[in-house]
Amino acid sequence: MTPPDATATTITVRYWAGARAAAGVAEESYAGPQSLEDLREAAIARHPESDRLAGVLAVCSVLVDGRQPQGGEVGAGSVVEFLPPFAGG
């Protein structure tokens, strides 16, 4: 019997720059589907040791499967990226 593909039931979350530093990891998986707001809250709850993660995620741009999200629901199998504001030029 072939094991089920975990990516078919989970959402991959990638943290960039300051979000990665605040979370302490670059990537992790969450159960899907769920709303972006619920996903953000789940990430904060998963990292109670971080006193910065909530503030960083509040100002992040979000991409879902490489695009700006059109709705609040994120489907299982999707990749969500939290991108804090970047400086430079």
Side-chain angles (χ1 to χ4, degrees), residues 6-84:
T7 60
T9 60
T10 61
I11 298 168
T12 300
V13 173
R14 294 184 182 146
Y15 303 101
W16 295 96
R20 178 185 294 185
V25 296
E27 181 177 297
E28 55 194 359
S29 297
Y30 291 85
Q34 60 181 299
S35 72
L36 276 175
E37 187 56 36
D38 288 344
L39 191 59
R40 191 176 277 121
E41 292 300 319
I44 293 165
R46 187 176 283 184
H47 300 283
E49 73 287 350
S50 177
D51 59 350
R52 299 181 304 139
L53 187 58
V56 172
L57 293 184
V59 297
C60 281
S61 296
V62 178
L63 296 177
V64 177
D65 297 328
R67 299 188 171 112
Q68 290 184 339
Q70 299 301 311
E73 187 76 13
V74 179
S78 291
V79 175
V80 174
E81 299 178 84
F82 286 105
L83 301 131

